[in-house]
Amino acid sequence: MALEIDDVGVVAGGRAILAKVSARIEPGAMVAVIGPNGAGKSTLVKAISGERRPAFGRVRLHGHDVSALAPADLAMQRAVLPQATTIAFPFTVFEIVGLGLRQRAGMDAAARRQEVQRALGAVDLEGFGERLYQRLSGGEQQRVQLARVLCQIGEPVKDGRAKLLILDEPTSSLDVRHQIAVLSIARRFADDGGIVVAVLHDLNLAMSFADRLMVLEGGRLVADQEPEELLEGGLLAETFGTRMVILRPPGWARPAVLPDFPRLHHGRSGEAADISQ
């Protein structure tokens, strides 16, 4: 039982924006999707989630075509944190997070409240339940949406089947501490038997948390490898159009990746500025 992406392609405006992407992701794995802007990362996760039907190819979760599953059934097997969520009405944080429980039957009011509080605690928002969602910062709103998603998906495995957690740029509005906290939640979900697919822009976060990196460029999958394997060639520099420096600090479990910043120059003297301090 796995997530299978079989020759998936998406067409928009007569142009292929995703072309023949194939991969198989087993339970217990966390995969990061990386690539430059416009590479097709969000399009891929929309196809994986069932939000967008591919023009060709299929996405199967445990053998079932996600495009053919009823929305209620799909909502119990996979949950999606989108890039952005707009809420026009003055809902409280508690009400927003509680929306994730709509598909989980058999819970009384006390159990639902406890589940919402547990999810808010997991994203470091204890005591935020009565606050209005619109009055929160962008990062706080992002964590509220993650709490909603956690309420929806529940345990990573049910009846022997891994559930799928999809995160589209989950760290875009977060400070460093909360970036690490959010991806640690995703990592634990995978370690406990679930499947995680996350779109990430920060290469170091992707390297640190994911088991595999799927690299997209121009709508095509150009690499699908473990982080260490991917660093052995010059693919990252070629894909992102910038030189990369690989650092291997003593004691670090995985290497760090930095762009090779050009030295700054003084306007008059032309001497290179020392920016290493």
Side-chain angles (χ1 to χ4, degrees):
M1 295 297 183
L3 173 65
E4 298 169 287
I5 306 164
D6 185 16
D7 277 345
V8 166
V10 175
V11 176
R15 181 176 66 90
I17 57 177
L18 200 67
K20 290 192 173 182
V21 174
S22 295
R24 179 182 175 91
I25 306 174
E26 301 288 346
M30 178 173 174
V31 174
V33 182
I34 63 174
N37 292 338
K41 302 182 296 296
S42 292
T43 301
L44 176 60
V45 296
K46 286 178 181 178
I48 292 172
S49 71
E51 179 181 346
R52 185 160 191 167
R53 184 183 292 271
F56 49 87
R58 289 185 179 181
V59 177
R60 297 182 181 87
L61 182 59
H62 306 316
H64 299 284
D65 188 335
V66 298
S67 296
L69 288 172
D73 292 336
L74 190 56
M76 296 177 67
Q77 298 183 52
R78 69 95 180 93
V80 184
L81 179 66
Q83 280 188 28
T85 305
T86 301
I87 304 294
F89 298 99
F91 288 113
T92 66
V93 167
F94 186 90
E95 289 170 331
I96 295 293
V97 178
L99 292 174
L101 298 173
R102 288 184 301 173
Q103 300 298 328
R104 294 175 63 181
M107 299 178 68
D108 58 23
R112 288 176 178 273
R113 176 167 290 276
Q114 184 177 25
E115 192 70 7
V116 169
Q117 291 173 341
R118 181 196 63 78
L120 287 174
V123 299
D124 195 26
L125 289 176
E126 299 95 335
F128 275 63
E130 300 306 317
R131 297 195 188 185
L132 289 177
Y133 179 82
Q134 287 85 353
R135 295 183 180 177
L136 302 181
S137 70
E140 289 168 341
Q141 290 183 355
Q142 195 167 27
R143 285 184 282 140
V144 169
Q145 293 299 333
L146 177 58
R148 175 187 59 78
V149 166
L150 294 177
C151 278
Q152 177 191 334
I153 200 66
E155 295 300 316
V157 180
K158 184 176 181 181
D159 298 329
R161 290 189 173 185
K163 296 181 183 179
L164 172 61
L165 180 61
I166 301 173
L167 308 174
D168 192 356
E169 298 187 29
T171 61
S172 59
S173 298
L174 304 182
D175 58 53
V176 173
R177 180 170 73 89
H178 287 111
Q179 288 176 3
I180 294 171
V182 164
L183 292 180
S184 294
I185 290 172
R187 182 68 259 177
R188 286 194 297 272
F189 189 89
D191 289 341
D192 289 341
I195 300 171
V196 178
V197 177
V199 174
L200 296 173
H201 277 296
D202 189 310
L203 296 180
N204 288 305
L205 290 175
M207 293 279 179
S208 298
F209 285 92
D211 302 300
R212 283 164 47 195
L213 304 181
M214 293 176 63
V215 186
L216 292 181
E217 182 181 15
R220 296 184 179 276
L221 183 65
V222 296
D224 182 0
Q225 296 174 289
E226 294 181 3
E228 288 279 3
E229 294 176 344
L230 189 59
L231 291 177
E232 291 178 359
L235 180 67
L236 285 180
E238 181 180 342
T239 299
F240 287 95
T242 186
R243 293 173 60 188
M244 298 283 182
V245 177
I246 311 301
L247 304 178
R248 301 180 185 275
W252 285 34
R254 291 184 178 178
V257 183
L258 291 176
D260 187 6
F261 295 108
R263 288 182 176 271
L264 300 178
H265 292 272
H266 294 296
R268 289 184 298 176
S269 67
E271 294 179 357
D274 185 357
I275 58 173
S276 63
Q277 300 300 318

